[in-house]
DNA sequence: TGTACATCAGTGAACGCGCGTTCACTGATGTAC
DNA sequence: TGTACATCAGTGAACGCGCGTTCACTGATGTAC
């Protein structure tokens, strides 16, 4: 049997004993906690089972190998993330707010999320570099966020000055995600402090996408601050 | 003896035989080439010496351990990078050009550099996560670029609309570096294609920093696209 | 309600592979006279 | 110019540590009658 998820559905008579599922949860939690300090490769199975008050045998009864553990952690996180994304970009939530309000909430939230789950995210990113399967699911998570955000933007096109709103969403999302992620991965050590950077990121995306309070069509040609230099100005 | 750099200074009678230095260069080159495909930890010393037509003994005559090799690679790269940075942001080079021309050249150049040295950069970034010494030098390299860019910006303050140009440089640099780096590390697979993204990055930074052709003071209050939402608009 | 058995869950000593590192050796280059 | 010696540079088999993985076993829980 391959990695079983910590299911949320309970059967009438639980098919597996409850303690089994608890052990799995303990193993996952312990690993995630250890990942805050070290890389996945530098954590031994022995350490994991010790920290989760389990045993190597119990470990290999669940996972075909050490790698599958990371896959299982990913699966657990993916579900959480999808739910968070849906909640964050739920159109109902932003009914009476402008797009910049969305950004001013979403970006700090993203920073917070990355801070709390730093270890996990670092491990996933590292794995995605070399493992095609991880890259695929990573991609899916991003697409999911992009789709939600595009829906939100599409419903209020008039607030967006950028000539290609879909591209603006894609590129803006890339900038924000990459910046937050890499910055925190490297330990927040260089450049501006993270919270300041987050604020500036919001400003940047707002300026880039040309987000303003329902500007009319007449404004599209104005000011030149959003789509000026398509080609390098130098010859 | 610890890791010797591939020196450029030649003594009258070379203190070491030339072939020794050639071997070192071969080892470094082979490692960098192997790093394009795999992580440093996944490359064995055996593979490195095979690929560089050398031997384990020759290897350990130069490096106290495998880790020192990465340090040596870093040292070699750091020097190259410093030179490239200086050349790129040389004030003389941009005498008659505006800031957006600088960006429109520097960003694609950065993309190109990251593409070519992807393996190295990935290895350095991974190491910086867990190794304080690597983080320090990484930081220095960034500060060097930031300083050069700030000098360039300081000389043409009137082109910049952002209320705090130093912060704008720091934050803008973070966004560009992080985005380009992480995007390429993950293999360019998600979101917009890299060259398109690079173009959008330039637009974003230009819009964010409020870069325009020597705008007067009267323009600072205008349009609102650069420094609108300091606080979240939501309550 | 109690007993006997089946299955689930967990245990940890032992194994073995892979890789970093060592070291006794050979060969190449430089130098003294 | 030639010989003898010193040092530099390189070689690769052998070692051993660490960690992932296996497996024969014990203990806990559930079920049939």
């Amino acid at each position: 049997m391959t990695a079983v998820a910590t299911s949320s559905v309970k059967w009438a008579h639980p098919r597996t004993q409850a303690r089994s599922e608890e052990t799995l949860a303990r193993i996952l939690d312990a690993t995630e906690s250890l990942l805050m300090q070290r890389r996945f490769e530098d954590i031994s199975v022995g350490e994991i089972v010790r920290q989760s008050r389990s045993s190597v045998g119990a470990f290999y009864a669940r996972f075909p190998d050490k790698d599958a553990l990371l896959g299982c952690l990913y699966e657990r996180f993916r579900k959480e993330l999808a739910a968070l994304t849906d909640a964050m970009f739920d159109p109902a939530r932003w009914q009476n707010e402008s797009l910049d309000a969305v950004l001013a909430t979403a970006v700090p939230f993203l920073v917070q999320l990355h801070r709390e789950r730093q270890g996990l995210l670092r491990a996933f990113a590292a794995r995605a570099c070399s493992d095609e399967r991880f890259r695929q699911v990573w991609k899916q998570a991003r697409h999911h966020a992009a789709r939600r955000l595009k829906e939100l933007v599409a419903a209020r096109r008039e607030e967006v000055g950028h000539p290609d709103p879909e591209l603006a969403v894609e590129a803006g999302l890339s900038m924000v995600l990459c910046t937050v992620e890499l910055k925190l991965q490297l330990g927040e050590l260089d450049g501006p402090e993270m919270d300041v950077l987050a604020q500036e990121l919001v400003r940047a995306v707002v300026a880039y996408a040309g987000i303003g309070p329902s500007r009319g069509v007449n404004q599209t040609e104005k000011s030149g601050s959003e789509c000026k230099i398509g080609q390098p100005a130098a010859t």
Side-chain angles (χ1 to χ4, degrees), chain A:
Chain A
M1 96 187 53
T2 330
V4 185
T6 45
S7 111
S8 43
V9 188
K10 302 287 177 200
W11 289 272
H13 287 282
R15 273 192 13 218
T16 58
Q17 298 174 16
R19 67 177 175 143
S20 165
E21 215 163 294
E22 283 158 16
T23 304
L24 173 57
R26 278 209 314 282
I27 291 176
L28 295 178
D29 292 341
T31 310
E32 183 165 344
S33 140
L34 285 166
L35 277 173
M36 285 301 269
Q37 311 290 347
R38 268 174 302 158
R39 297 176 311 161
F40 187 65
E41 296 79 22
D42 295 340
I43 302 169
S44 73
V45 173
E47 281 175 294
I48 292 169
V49 298
R50 210 175 311 131
Q51 172 124 352
S52 51
R53 282 160 296 127
S54 177
S55 65
V56 257
F59 184 96
Y60 283 96
R62 281 171 234 311
F63 307 107
D65 52 32
K66 194 188 167 193
D67 253 30
L69 166 60
L70 199 62
C72 191
L73 273 170
Y74 185 84
E75 195 50 34
R76 189 169 79 155
F77 183 72
R78 218 211 69 230
K79 283 174 191 157
E80 277 184 70
L81 192 61
L84 288 172
T85 306
D86 287 341
M88 176 55 76
F89 297 135
D90 178 13
R93 174 172 181 181
W94 301 103
Q95 206 94 48
N96 304 312
E97 305 276 5
S98 62
L99 276 179
D100 51 15
V102 178
L103 288 174
T105 304
V107 172
F109 176 79
L110 186 74
V111 170
Q112 184 59 21
L113 182 73
H114 270 76
R115 277 220 183 94
E116 282 166 7
R117 316 301 285 278
Q118 208 186 118
L120 264 191
L121 288 160
R122 189 158 36 193
F124 295 154
R127 199 44 145 279
C129 284
S130 53
D131 186 323
E132 179 59 29
R133 278 195 351 272
F134 263 81
R135 214 147 45 202
Q136 286 302 328
V137 272
W138 195 258
K139 212 166 149 181
Q140 280 167 23
R142 219 202 83 111
H143 267 115
H144 184 224
R147 195 162 353 103
R148 287 272 170 277
L149 196 50
K150 278 177 189 167
E151 286 164 13
L152 216 54
V153 167
R156 40 190 98 192
R157 257 229 65 162
E158 73 287 355
E159 289 182 42
V160 176
H162 193 290
D164 182 346
E166 298 243 323
L167 175 60
V169 167
E170 287 281 2
L173 195 61
S174 282
M175 293 173 209
V176 172
L177 286 178
C178 291
T179 305
V180 171
E181 196 173 318
L182 193 58
K183 199 83 182 175
L184 289 178
Q185 264 184 35
L186 293 178
E188 308 198 29
L189 277 179
D190 59 339
E193 209 268 314
M194 191 66 239
D195 295 313
V196 176
L197 184 60
Q199 220 180 333
E200 296 303 297
L201 264 175
V202 175
R203 287 190 182 194
V205 173
V206 167
Y208 159 65
I211 292 172
S214 299
R215 24 159 78 185
V217 193
N218 58 321
Q219 296 230 9
T220 322
E221 293 284 47
K222 195 184 120 193
S223 145
S225 64
E226 57 263 7
C227 48
K228 193 149 41 65
I229 56 155
Q231 322 301 331
T235 347

